[in-house]
Amino acid sequence: MIKYCLQLNPGKTQIIVFAPPNILKNISINGVFLPGGICVRFSSTAKNLGVLFDESLSFKNHVTRVKQDSFRMLRNINKRKFLFDTDQVKLIINSLVACKLDYCNALLYGINEDTLSELQRIQNAAAKSVVGLYKHDHVGNTLNELHWLPVKQRITYKILLLVFKCLNSLGPEYLSSDLNYANILGSNVQLKEPKMLTSYGDRCFSKAGPKLWNMLPLHVNKHCSDIVAFKTALKTHLFLETYKEH
């Protein structure tokens, strides 16, 4: 930092250690001293690009904040939605609420199901608002009717889209370098799945990306050179897999 004439702002600097709870409890360091005698304390959460990271990468704090912001937005929309028709309400909710569920959602792959269900509650409430159901009404088949993928499938969609972009030189190099081909048989592209020793490793892009990609059926995989065709085929596949019982 000295080389590039940069200086830390103690008031905006946070230090966080990511580790399982059994390791965190053994860490006794409370902070570090910067030049000038300024001490920067360790933090249990830190925000980066709008995402709230916690020590164990559970993202509970982040989900709680998204839930609070989303339900506050939904309450405001519900007070005024009589001014709009159904299509307009759907557009508003997609713009102001659904975008919160999709923002950086690839980070949420593999998180606790209870935490994920909190995000699903937001989407269910948004769907009820669009079609005019009341708070305690059952959401039923509403997501299907709106052609909305549930939260878990939206996370899968985002990861697979990132994999597609990396395979076609459209993604960032730091992600593309994590992907390696296992074989390429015609239009069937398979990726190597690295072995991970922990559940944290199973959640990282280098593991989750190839795992999900290799599970794609050939009729989706074959579109791996056209992003528009791939998006359509992928969403259709996930939609049919999710609602096949309906």
Side-chain angles (χ1 to χ4, degrees), residues 12-43:
K12 296 182 178 180
T13 302
Q14 293 175 287
I15 302 175
I16 184 170
V17 177
F18 298 110
N22 61 317
I23 295 179
L24 288 172
K25 68 181 181 181
N26 295 323
I27 297 178
S28 57
I29 302 174
N30 295 318
V32 296
F33 283 96
L34 301 178
I38 300 172
C39 180
V40 178
R41 298 291 182 182
F42 278 73
S43 176

Side-chain angles (χ1 to χ4, degrees), residues 70-96:
S70 297
F71 278 117
R72 181 170 60 250
M73 187 65 69
L74 280 173
R75 284 193 296 270
N76 291 332
I77 293 172
N78 287 334
K79 291 176 182 178
R80 299 166 177 83
K81 71 177 184 178
F82 68 91
L83 298 170
F84 310 99
D85 60 34
T86 301
D87 289 337
Q88 290 172 326
V89 172
K90 183 178 179 181
L91 179 61
I92 293 170
I93 287 179
N94 273 327
S95 301
L96 299 179

